Amino acid sequence: MSHGFTGTLNAQQREAATHIHGPLLILAGAGTGKTRVLTARISFMVNEGINPKNILSVTFTNKAANEMRERIKGMVRDGLGKKVVVGTFHAFCVRLLREFAEHVGYKNNFAIYSQGEQESLIKRVLQGLLVKDESLDPSMALARISKAKNAGETLGDPKENLDAAVMEKYMDEMRGLNVMDFDDLIILGVRLLEEHADVRATVQSRHHYVMVDEFQDTNSLQMRLLRALVPAPYNVCVVGDDDQSIYGWRGAEITNITEFENFFPNPHVVKLEENYRSTTPILHTANSLIKNNAGRRPKSLWSRNQGSDLVRLIATEDEKEEADMIAKDVESAHFASKQPLEDFAVLFRTNDQSRVLEQAFRQRKIAYRVVGARSFFDRREVKDILSYLSVMHNPHDDMALLRVLNTPTRGIGSATAELARERSMEKHHSIWVALCDEDFLRQIPEKARNAIRTFTTLIVKYSGPANANGTLMVDMTQALILEIGYMDHLKKAAKEPEDFTGWENGLNELFKSMLAYEERNRAGGLAGFLDEVSLNDEREEKDDIEKKKGVCLITMHASKGLEFPVVFLPGMEQGILPHKRSFDEGRVDEERRLFYVGITRAKQKLTLSHTRTRMKWGKTQSSMPSTFLKELDRKYVEELDYTKHMNETVTQEENTNFFSGLRAMLADK
């Protein structure tokens, strides 16, 4: 056995990295070095003679996949790491469906719709189905369709039930447009593998060893995909932590990990419990909380780092005082100890807790960043150019086509666009087909007719190079931008010079992402790049963390996978955490896991706080401390009443710094 890359691992990590045959369940507690174990395991497998092309590693986010890819490249010998197949569930299914789309009734140049494009389509569907006084919320309709699709159910009889009629029409439109949404990628990927033995055999012959990270976040469809991918003797390794399963509300099945043996018999189980992130007080407090969840796989985190700070549990009068306390503490540590603001994070259960915290930071002129800003890929200029590229790749993508049809303005008004859309619906084909139909063109004014012909000629001209191997995407896109006069269009649209500069910078960032993609994947071409953009779930929040400076304000859900030296968890009250809805929905255990995730983000210092009153619906109402606080072992917890102390302090110096004042008081005793 080669020890070079496993020698730095602890005994449990080494056991996980070197067990490569049969089902393996790695229970990796928070901060226990699971990514290191996964990369060491892949390196060990390659050193043992396993072909890296036969290893498939599945993660949940593109960011995690990219990090894993880089680490494998750095660790696996002779450049073999590049051959390991690494990607998200969705990216894996896209590759599968591009190859075998006809088996599920699609053409292989299908487009992938974003949330915004789905909403535009569902609004169109609703317009056609609703009678005068009927209304249906588009996002609610999409949510119901998504839930039904993932459960493999219908919403009833389309002739009797409006929801069912909307779902049927929506799915017909999607198929007619040769478009899939995110749900479809997994649903059709599963159908492909389960219903087509020849495809299943082909795919299984490529991936002899399958690894899945963040396994506690998988849903029932992803488990079905995994079971179809992995035949006996089940060379499958999953890594996860049932104590960090916090996405049940969006379909994650904790039973995938707690009942793993029911899916893959007689697995080898390894627990990673040595934590390299947090101190003993933080971990002891977290362990005392999570052990109250029934049905969990027992594990207990520990650390060699004893730490010098107790966990603080602070009572405040109201949310304003709570926010002020947090802002003062950050200010004190930042100015007195020169601790960078980026070391601090405030994690909250609900978004509406953020406002009062932001006000407190602004009053003290403390820089902060709210994670979860608008995605780069949602910017106007980026969406315009990506829509052009989408139409070149697949002219039947109606949503992208309508976006660019008169951008920049070329004499094709909204009335003409609507006529083309109506024609496409009447004839059951795409808008592109309508625009190329001479019979349709004869029915519209000459100016618009000529403008449409110029537009279709432009798209045809670029479609060849766009879909050819070896075309440099940036060169082609820049030529397109020049030909359509897009920069002049932006200059005219700019109200301020900074607007144009911002748009220009946006396009430069787009070019950079194209170049980065081409360096990574020369064979992928435009189709591969568009797939990557569509699947870019790093529009999620976590990209913002690296781009912005200041204290991090972030929801507990979004904080999973992150760590900070100093963490505050405000609002530890009944109705906030556990959230009031969790009692009705039977999700109190998941709320406890969410609290556990929040606690285990902290590396050195942790402050929990709650208020006696809080403003709700415009009225001051009394608050009760969270029942979870009673479950915390107080061995390493220091309880403080901020309001009482502030009323008792005498000097201005103590007033401005509660914590240094408190330390002085304790020293006098």
Side-chain angles (χ1 to χ4, degrees):
M1 183 172 73
S2 179
H3 277 289
F5 43 84
T6 58
T8 57
L9 305 179
N10 67 38
Q12 290 72 34
Q13 289 175 328
R14 195 175 304 116
E15 181 187 352
T18 55
H19 186 98
I20 56 178
H21 298 292
L24 171 66
L25 170 59
I26 303 173
L27 293 168
T32 55
K34 69 182 173 85
T35 309
R36 201 155 154 244
V37 171
L38 280 173
T39 47
R41 187 172 189 272
I42 290 170
S43 189
F44 179 78
M45 290 162 80
V46 173
N47 274 12
E48 290 290 293
I50 291 168
N51 187 334
K53 287 182 181 174
N54 295 145
I55 302 170
L56 170 65
S57 177
V58 185
T59 64
F60 265 80
T61 66
N62 286 316
K63 188 171 186 181
N66 291 335
E67 283 172 6
M68 177 69 74
R69 207 175 279 117
E70 289 306 308
R71 288 177 79 152
I72 292 168
K73 271 198 285 191
M75 190 180 268
V76 178
R77 62 181 173 82
D78 305 330
L80 293 171
K82 290 180 184 172
K83 296 182 179 177
V84 176
V85 184
V86 182
T88 63
F89 275 103
H90 287 95
F92 173 78
C93 286
V94 168
R95 282 198 299 273
L96 206 59
L97 291 163
R98 289 271 176 237
E99 190 175 354
F100 301 108
E102 71 280 1
H103 288 73
V104 289
Y106 274 83
K107 291 179 281 191
N108 64 7
N109 68 336
F110 60 84
I112 304 164
Y113 265 8
S114 67
Q115 182 75 19
E117 288 164 330
Q118 285 176 257
E119 283 175 7
S120 296
L121 178 59
I122 202 85
K123 282 173 188 169
R124 222 162 73 197
V125 167
L126 292 173
Q127 264 178 348
L129 287 176
L130 296 176
V131 296
K132 190 178 176 187
D133 294 323
E134 278 185 313
S135 67
L136 199 61
D137 180 74
S139 55
M140 291 295 289
L142 272 180
R144 281 195 285 271
I145 290 169
S146 174
K147 193 172 179 183
K149 277 164 69 174
N150 280 291
E153 296 167 356
T154 67
L155 289 173
D157 182 351
K159 294 185 180 69
E160 308 279 328
N161 181 304
L162 179 59
D163 280 344
V166 170
M167 180 173 175
E168 181 183 63
K169 180 72 173 160
Y170 172 79
M171 291 174 73
D172 285 349
E173 288 270 326
M174 293 282 279
R175 196 172 290 277
L177 293 167
N178 197 35
V179 162
M180 296 183 194
D181 60 25
F182 265 54
D183 294 329
D184 292 327
L185 297 176
I186 305 287
I187 291 163
L188 296 174
V190 168
R191 188 184 303 167
L192 191 60
L193 290 176
E194 286 184 345
E195 296 178 7
H196 300 275
D198 53 336
V199 174
R200 187 167 64 248
T202 300
V203 176
Q204 287 176 350
S205 71
R206 294 173 188 166
H207 308 298
H208 301 171
Y209 295 86
V210 179
M211 297 163 65
V212 183
D213 193 8
E214 301 288 4
F215 192 65
Q216 74 281 343
D217 296 339
T218 51
N219 60 27
S220 53
L221 268 172
Q222 287 158 338
M223 176 55 101
R224 280 170 61 189
L225 185 77
L226 188 61
R227 293 184 80 187
L229 261 178
V230 181
Y234 308 121
N235 289 325
V236 60
C237 163
V238 303
V239 186
D241 181 7
D242 50 318
D243 290 336
Q244 295 185 75
S245 178
I246 58 172
Y247 295 119
W249 51 276
R250 68 181 189 201
E253 292 277 358
I254 193 171
T255 50
N256 286 355
I257 196 165
T258 56
E259 297 172 16
F260 185 69
E261 294 85 347
N262 294 346
F263 304 104
F264 296 102
N266 305 314
H268 185 69
V269 180
V270 180
K271 292 182 189 178
L272 305 182
E273 295 171 298
E274 182 175 359
N275 176 287
Y276 295 94
R277 175 189 297 158
S278 308
T279 62
T280 296
I282 291 166
L283 296 177
H284 180 87
T285 306
N287 288 333
S288 69
L289 169 79
I290 202 64
K291 71 179 186 187
N292 292 284
N293 267 5
R296 64 185 282 267
R297 289 183 178 268
K299 67 191 86 64
S300 189
L301 296 180
W302 63 277
S303 172
R304 297 173 199 271
N305 179 4
Q306 293 304 303
S308 54
D309 293 279
L310 296 176
V311 172
R312 299 182 309 195
L313 175 54
I314 299 177
T316 63
E317 188 56 35
D318 56 23
E319 64 265 46
K320 191 172 181 306
E321 187 177 78
E322 180 181 52
D324 198 48
M325 175 269 294
I326 292 170
K328 276 182 183 173
D329 197 20
V330 171
E331 185 179 55
S332 163
H334 177 59
F335 290 109
S337 315
K338 301 290 181 278
Q339 193 161 4
L341 291 177
E342 292 72 37
D343 280 6
F344 299 88
V346 186
L347 278 49
F348 36 84
R349 173 63 183 87
T350 60
N351 279 307
D352 55 7
Q353 289 172 260
S354 165
R355 183 188 55 79
V356 68
L357 289 159
E358 290 186 59
Q359 284 175 338
F361 284 129
R362 281 180 178 178
Q363 279 170 359
R364 293 183 177 273
K365 297 187 167 49
I366 297 169
Y368 66 89
R369 52 210 160 128
V370 181
V371 175
R374 189 167 64 117
S375 156
F376 165 72
F377 291 100
D378 286 337
R379 292 171 59 136
R380 163 200 182 148
E381 70 282 10
V382 174
K383 283 188 90 165
D384 283 349
I385 299 308
L386 285 174
S387 294
Y388 265 107
L389 295 175
S390 296
V391 173
M392 290 168 194
H393 171 58
N394 173 17
H396 305 290
D397 182 346
D398 279 2
M399 211 68 72
L401 183 89
L402 287 170
R403 185 178 181 94
V404 300
L405 188 56
N406 202 37
T407 305
T409 49
R410 52 171 63 90
I412 307 171
S414 54
T416 303
E418 185 57 24
L419 283 172
R421 194 181 73 77
E422 285 172 5
R423 172 81 171 200
S424 73
M425 290 175 75
E426 180 194 325
K427 298 283 186 181
H428 305 290
H429 54 49
S430 68
I431 292 172
W432 173 258
V433 173
L435 297 179
C436 297
D437 181 352
E438 286 298 323
D439 184 42
F440 168 71
L441 291 175
R442 278 192 289 273
Q443 297 172 33
I444 59 176
E446 185 181 4
K447 189 182 172 193
R449 181 163 63 240
N450 291 336
I452 286 172
R453 284 186 177 135
T454 303
F455 173 75
T456 53
T457 302
L458 174 87
I459 298 301
V460 169
K461 173 183 168 183
Y462 278 88
S463 287
N467 295 299
N469 291 332
T471 298
L472 297 173
M473 280 189 283
V474 173
D475 291 354
M476 180 192 72
T477 307
Q478 287 175 338
L480 169 78
I481 285 171
L482 195 63
E483 183 161 349
I484 63 176
Y486 187 71
M487 300 314 285
D488 290 336
H489 162 72
L490 289 182
K491 272 180 190 159
K492 284 177 195 161
K495 290 182 179 142
E496 306 285 342
E498 300 84 62
D499 292 345
F500 178 72
T501 307
W503 292 330
E504 204 172 26
N505 290 341
L507 291 175
N508 284 329
E509 287 301 313
L510 178 63
F511 298 148
K512 280 184 199 169
S513 69
M514 285 176 172
L515 287 170
Y517 175 79
E518 284 179 328
E519 280 172 25
R520 271 198 323 274
N521 190 344
R522 294 213 176 277
L526 178 62
F529 175 70
L530 291 171
D531 281 348
E532 187 166 286
V533 170
S534 298
L535 295 171
N536 191 346
D537 47 14
E538 296 329 302
R539 307 169 181 202
E540 325 162 356
E541 323 190 304
K542 296 175 189 174
D543 264 6
D544 298 339
I545 287 179
E546 287 139 35
K547 290 177 185 166
K548 297 178 184 175
K549 296 292 179 191
V551 180
C552 182
L553 303 185
I554 188 170
T555 65
M556 286 187 184
H557 279 101
S559 75
K560 190 161 87 70
L562 302 175
E563 56 182 44
F564 304 91
V566 183
V567 168
F568 297 89
L569 301 180
M572 294 295 112
E573 295 143 42
Q574 282 301 96
I576 296 179
L577 189 79
H579 196 279
K580 56 182 180 294
R581 271 201 318 267
S582 66
F583 295 96
D584 300 330
E585 295 170 0
R587 292 199 186 281
V588 174
D589 278 5
E590 184 161 310
E591 293 287 294
R592 189 180 283 107
R593 291 193 291 270
L594 187 58
F595 188 14
Y596 175 80
V597 165
I599 291 172
T600 54
R601 298 313 93 200
K603 293 166 77 173
Q604 297 157 12
K605 295 183 180 181
L606 174 67
T607 301
L608 315 173
S609 59
H610 61 92
T611 65
R612 280 180 277 271
T613 65
R614 188 173 287 272
M615 189 73 79
K616 292 169 191 167
W617 308 109
K619 292 181 182 174
T620 300
Q621 298 182 23
S622 60
S623 305
M624 293 296 294
S626 169
T627 49
F628 293 155
L629 297 177
K630 293 178 187 164
E631 299 172 359
L632 303 180
D633 186 332
R634 296 300 201 266
K635 182 176 179 182
Y636 295 105
V637 175
E638 175 183 28
E639 293 190 64
L640 311 164
D641 189 319
Y642 184 75
T643 315
K644 189 177 172 193
H645 177 77
M646 291 303 287
N647 290 337
E648 287 173 357
T649 54
V650 181
T651 69
Q652 182 62 35
E653 187 182 348
E654 283 177 327
N655 240 329
T656 53
N657 190 345
F658 160 55
F659 298 105
S660 63
L662 182 81
R663 280 192 287 275
M665 283 170 61
L666 292 172
D668 289 342
K669 286 183 181 178

